[in-house]
Amino acid sequence: VSSFYAINHFAIYNNGKITPLKDLDKATILSMLPSNGTYESWLKEHKNKLKNESDAIAFLQYVNSLN
């Protein structure tokens, strides 16, 4: 074997339903969540651009803390 690669799949579990994410980016993640006026301000305050896995985890932990 001369090379290999790994593929990660991401999904959001909400209201008993698992929804796969097409991309791990801001537009995709926000489209999966109910509207909330605090999301954008939290992202801006924490300089979180939802560009990678750790950004997404931090943001979703915030979202979960609201419930």
Side-chain angles (χ1 to χ4, degrees):
V1 175
S2 61
S3 65
F4 67 94
Y5 62 94
I7 297 174
N8 293 318
H9 296 276
F10 299 97
I12 290 182
Y13 179 77
N14 192 16
N15 294 326
K17 182 180 174 188
I18 298 173
T19 307
L21 297 175
K22 292 180 184 178
D23 293 309
L24 191 62
D25 62 14
K26 183 177 179 178
T28 303
I29 292 171
L30 291 179
S31 73
M32 304 304 267
L33 301 172
S35 295
N36 181 321
T38 65
Y39 294 159
E40 289 290 341
S41 61
W42 186 92
L43 290 168
K44 188 173 187 176
E45 180 181 330
H46 292 87
K47 297 178 182 169
N48 185 322
K49 298 189 185 294
L50 294 176
K51 293 281 186 182
N52 57 47
E53 186 175 347
S54 61
D55 285 352
I57 290 169
F59 175 66
L60 292 172
Q61 286 175 333
Y62 162 73
V63 170
N64 286 335
S65 74
L66 297 175
N67 295 329

